[in-house]
Every structure is written in structure tokens, then in C-alpha cells.
Amino acid sequence: MVESTGGEAGHDGAAEVLDRPLPEGVRRRVVQIVSDGFGGLTVGELPPPLRQYARFTPSRRVKFAGNAMAAAMESETLFRQRIAERLREAQPELAGALDSGAPPPAADPMDVAAAAYVLRPAGWVKLVTAAGEEAQRAHAERVDEETRAELESLRDRLAEAQAQTKAETERLRTELDAARRETEAVHRKLRAALSDVKRGEAAARKAQAETDSVRAEQQAQVSAAESEARRLKARLGEAEAALEGSRRAAREGRSVEDMRVRLLLDTVLDAAQGLRRELALPPVSTRPADSVDAVEPGRMTPKDIAARALHEHDPAILDQLLALPQAHLVVDGYNVTKTGYPTMPLEKQRLRLLGSLSQLAAQTGAEVTCVFDGAELAAPVLLAPPRGVRVLFSKAGVTADELIRQLVRAEPPGRPVIVVSTDREVADGVAKAGARPVASVMLLKRLSHA
């Protein structure tokens, strides 16, 4: 077969030129024809841009070299003629029909147009154009069919939505009617509840007035009882003072005055018991006679009685004092620590003393208060008081000695209060207030044997 590199011409000798882009369907079939005829050509017969795809399979050539093959068919006339020859060999009937100008009526227009584009018989442009128009017409018919189908679907969906909307409207109307009826019922209940609330508020105001009246009456009774209690407490204080005098007189042999004071005390105590019953006060756990230093029959032997005569600085005296009912031990902290361990820092002095006092409080059950001078402190002392020990620092302008005297004066007359301090001024002051002074050395000896 003789190949020509010139342009194709029809029977009338005029070159035919396609004046529009190749339809997409025709282009795909042209690429497939080129891919099928690709394998029958040598590498030298291929245009340079297509030689890299010589070893590809037809499907891979269509996928990766489709654009390159379409461009070569348009620009490389010799390559197109070689592909046309392979097409004539593969489809001789279709090629003969196109050469005669009578394409098969039953053939696919796209296949006919693609073969015409490759073979370039007379009138091939018309075949390609007709195939494109046919494709557009088919596409338009397909789009029209799809549009009609979509329109029918939208109509069906619209009818369904209208039916659902109607049903939903009916349901909401029913629910609205039910909600209106329920709202009316709630309003009736609310009006009834408001009426009940008003009646309740009136009853509450009446009850509040009655409560205020009762409270005022009770307050008056409590005030009268407190006045009577203060009067009796004053008499009790006088009686306790008289009792203390009688104790001193008893030690001097004045037993008659002691009996008279005791009789007065019993009278006051009986009056206090009557007041306690009237005020519904809880019973006390101890009696005044329990604080009297005496020995019950059968509890001590003559040897024990002889051993009671203790030395003035014997620590056992401190144990006897702390064994008294409701005893209160007040310790001058720095006076004790500077007597016992003055070389230690103040913080360690405090910790050591407070730890020993905690053990003493646990052993004796007495109330223990330790007082430190805080007048010269630049900041609060971060200290966790040990169990059973109350720790106090004096305020600015107040010495620890004055704070100790305030603690003693705060106690009721007759309560056993023991003050530990070597300061003679403190000892004399607390002794005048009714407390028992004890030297710091005695407490240190007692703590050393704890």
C-alpha cells in the first residue's frame, strides 16, 4: 500500500477539513482504533512522542497515551495512514462500505464516524459531523428522558410531602386542641393552688404572731431565770469564798465556823438544785464534797497516811493537785523552757515543752493551757497545738504574765487552778486570785519522770 503524507481529498479533489472539535464519543473510539493498531507498527514507524508507549498493553495505552495518540492522528498524516491500513485489514467490510460512500445502516454512528475519521474517505467530515449531531441528539434525548423521570419523581415526592404535611397538620391540630384543654385544666388548678397559698399565708401569719407571742413570753421567763441564776451564782460565789475561808479556819482549828459555812453552802446548793430542775439543766457529774481533800475509810494504810507528808518541791504534790476535780494547769511557757533548757532555740523549746505537756494532759485528764510571750513577735507563729494542750500567745502590748492573771481571773471561784512559774510577781498575783502557784522546777521534774 502506497502511503502519502499529503492532505486527504474527496472525489472532487478538494481537501476536506473538520471545522469543529471531534465529538467526545468519536474521539474515544478513534483512540481505541489507534491503540488496537499500535501493536502492528514498529518503533521506527511510530511518531517520537508515542515511542515510549510501544510496550504498553492496549488498555494501558488508552489510559496513559490517549491524548498523545489523538494529537498524533491530527498532526501526523503518515501515522494516521498506517493506522488506517491496520483498520482496513481488521474491518475490511466497514472500510469498503465507507469507500463506496454507503456506510452500513445498522452500524453504530460513532463507530462509522471514527472509522471515517481514520480512513478519510470522500465525505468523511459529514459522517463525523452527523455522528456528533446524532450523539448530541441522543444526549439531549437522554437528558430529556432523565429530566422527565426526575420531574415525575419530584411530582411523586411533592404529592407524598403534601400528604405528610396534611397528616402532620391534622396531628398538630389534634395535639394543639389537647394542649389547650390541658392548659385550661392547669389554669384551673393554678387558681385553686393560689387560693390555697393565700389561705396558707394567712394561717402562717397567724401562727407567726402566736409564735412571736410565745417566744416573747419564753424570753421573759428565760430573762427572769437568768437573773435568778446570776443572783444564785453570786450567792454561790460568796458561799465558795466562805467555804475557802472555812477550810483555812479548819486548818487553824476553827471547826465551828467551818460547820456554819458548810451549812450555808448546802442551803445555797439546794436552792441551785431547785433552779436546775426548773430550768431542766443536766445533772453535774461531781459534788462539792468530792473536791475536799480527804481519805475514804479502808482506802489507805497507816503507812500510806504517813507517806502523805510530802516535801514542798516534791513533784508528787503536782500530781495531787492535778488529780483534783476539774483541775486547770496554766504554764508560763518561756519561764519553764528557759529554766529547763535555755540553750535551745525558742522554736525547739516550745516544741519540747508542748510535747511533754501533751503527755501530762493525757495521763492526768486535766485541762492544760500553755502561755507564751508574743509581744515581740514579728509574725504569727505557725504551730499546730498538740492534743490536749491549749497554746496562747499574748497580744501586742500585753505580757505573758498579764495574760496568765487574766486566765486565773476568768475561772470561777473554787475551781482548782495551778499556775507554773518561777516569777515571784506572777506567783503572788495568782495566789491572791485563788490559784495555786507551783515552781517551774517542780513541773520539769514531773515531766522528766513522765
Side-chain angles (χ1 to χ4, degrees):
M1 176 181 174
V2 179
E3 298 177 349
S4 172
T5 59
E8 297 297 324
H11 295 294
D12 55 359
E16 298 186 32
V17 179
L18 188 64
D19 59 354
R20 66 189 66 186
L22 195 64
E24 182 61 28
V26 177
R27 180 185 176 282
R28 287 197 300 269
R29 284 169 173 79
V30 169
V31 170
Q32 186 63 46
I33 291 172
V34 175
S35 178
D36 293 340
F38 207 94
L41 302 177
T42 64
V43 176
E45 294 175 334
L46 296 174
L50 298 180
R51 291 174 183 176
Q52 58 180 323
Y53 305 109
R55 297 183 180 276
F56 282 27
T57 61
S59 60
R60 292 191 65 202
R61 279 196 293 270
V62 170
K63 181 177 181 181
F64 295 103
N67 293 332
M69 289 188 294
M73 287 294 291
E74 182 67 26
S75 60
E76 299 289 341
T77 304
L78 183 58
F79 174 68
R80 182 187 56 73
Q81 290 176 352
R82 290 170 179 168
I83 295 298
E85 176 140 350
R86 299 299 180 275
L87 178 60
R88 289 180 184 278
E89 294 175 357
Q91 301 185 36
E93 296 179 357
L94 178 59
L98 290 175
D99 289 338
S100 63
D108 188 345
M110 295 294 177
D111 293 337
V112 173
Y117 178 79
V118 174
L119 296 174
R120 302 291 174 93
W124 68 272
V125 174
K126 294 180 179 180
L127 292 174
V128 173
T129 303
E133 293 174 352
E134 180 64 24
Q136 291 179 355
R137 186 166 50 253
H139 177 70
E141 291 177 354
R142 186 169 58 256
V143 170
D144 184 60
E145 185 65 26
E146 292 176 354
T147 302
R148 284 196 297 269
E150 182 68 19
L151 180 59
E152 291 296 329
S153 174
L154 291 176
R155 286 174 178 172
D156 294 340
R157 290 167 59 185
L158 177 60
E160 183 180 356
Q162 288 176 345
Q164 291 180 354
T165 301
K166 183 177 180 181
E168 184 69 15
T169 302
E170 292 296 332
R171 184 182 65 80
L172 292 176
R173 184 177 291 110
T174 303
E175 292 180 355
L176 179 59
D177 294 339
R180 286 175 178 172
R181 291 192 295 271
E182 184 177 355
T183 302
E184 292 175 357
V186 169
H187 284 168
R188 289 194 296 271
K189 292 180 180 179
L190 180 60
R191 288 192 292 271
L194 290 175
S195 179
D196 293 341
V197 168
K198 291 180 180 178
R199 288 195 296 270
E201 289 177 349
R205 288 193 294 271
K206 181 179 179 182
Q208 182 66 32
E210 294 176 355
T211 302
D212 294 341
S213 177
V214 172
R215 185 181 292 111
E217 183 178 354
Q218 291 178 348
Q219 187 67 29
Q221 293 177 357
V222 169
S223 299
E226 290 177 349
S227 177
E228 182 66 15
R230 286 193 295 269
R231 185 182 63 83
L232 293 177
K233 185 176 181 180
R235 292 184 60 189
L236 181 60
E238 296 173 358
E240 289 177 345
L243 176 60
E244 182 62 24
S246 67
R247 286 176 179 174
R248 289 195 297 269
R251 288 192 293 269
E252 297 173 359
R254 293 180 296 178
S255 59
V256 176
E257 286 88 340
D258 180 70
M259 291 296 295
R260 291 176 179 176
V261 171
R262 180 59 183 271
L263 180 60
L264 176 60
L265 177 61
D266 290 341
T267 302
V268 173
L269 291 177
D270 289 341
Q273 288 292 336
L275 179 60
R276 182 177 63 83
R277 287 192 299 271
E278 180 179 351
L279 297 178
L281 297 176
V284 296
S285 59
T286 58
R287 303 290 293 178
D290 295 334
S291 63
V292 177
D293 188 12
V295 179
E296 296 181 4
R299 292 296 180 90
M300 299 182 65
T301 63
K303 182 179 179 181
D304 295 329
I305 297 174
R308 293 186 62 206
L310 300 176
H311 190 270
E312 180 181 358
H313 297 293
D314 192 337
I317 294 179
L318 183 59
D319 288 332
Q320 292 181 358
L321 294 173
L322 295 178
L324 295 175
Q326 299 295 324
H328 185 186
L329 177 65
V330 180
V331 180
D332 187 348
Y334 287 140
N335 185 277
V336 174
T337 60
K338 291 179 181 179
T339 301
Y341 21 90
T343 59
M344 297 176 64
L346 288 181
E347 180 179 0
K348 293 186 178 180
Q349 290 182 19
R350 290 194 297 266
L351 294 177
R352 179 174 176 178
L353 174 60
L354 294 176
S356 300
L357 291 177
S358 177
Q359 297 180 6
L360 181 63
Q363 294 171 0
T364 62
E367 179 182 356
V368 179
T369 300
C370 187
V371 178
F372 293 103
D373 193 350
E376 298 180 358
L377 292 178
V381 178
L382 299 178
L383 177 67
R387 183 184 297 275
V389 180
R390 181 189 297 107
V391 180
L392 299 177
F393 286 86
S394 62
K395 295 182 179 180
V398 180
T399 63
D401 299 345
E402 178 59 27
L403 181 57
I404 292 174
R405 285 190 286 268
Q406 292 177 9
L407 288 171
V408 173
R409 289 195 298 269
E411 295 292 345
R415 183 183 183 185
V417 180
I418 303 96
V419 178
V420 178
S421 178
T422 308
D423 192 325
R424 175 51 54 188
E425 183 180 354
V426 174
D428 294 342
V430 298
K432 293 179 180 179
R436 170 67 185 268
V438 174
S440 298
V441 176
M442 183 184 296
L443 175 61
L444 291 170
K445 289 182 180 179
R446 175 61 181 83
L447 296 179
S448 65
H449 292 88

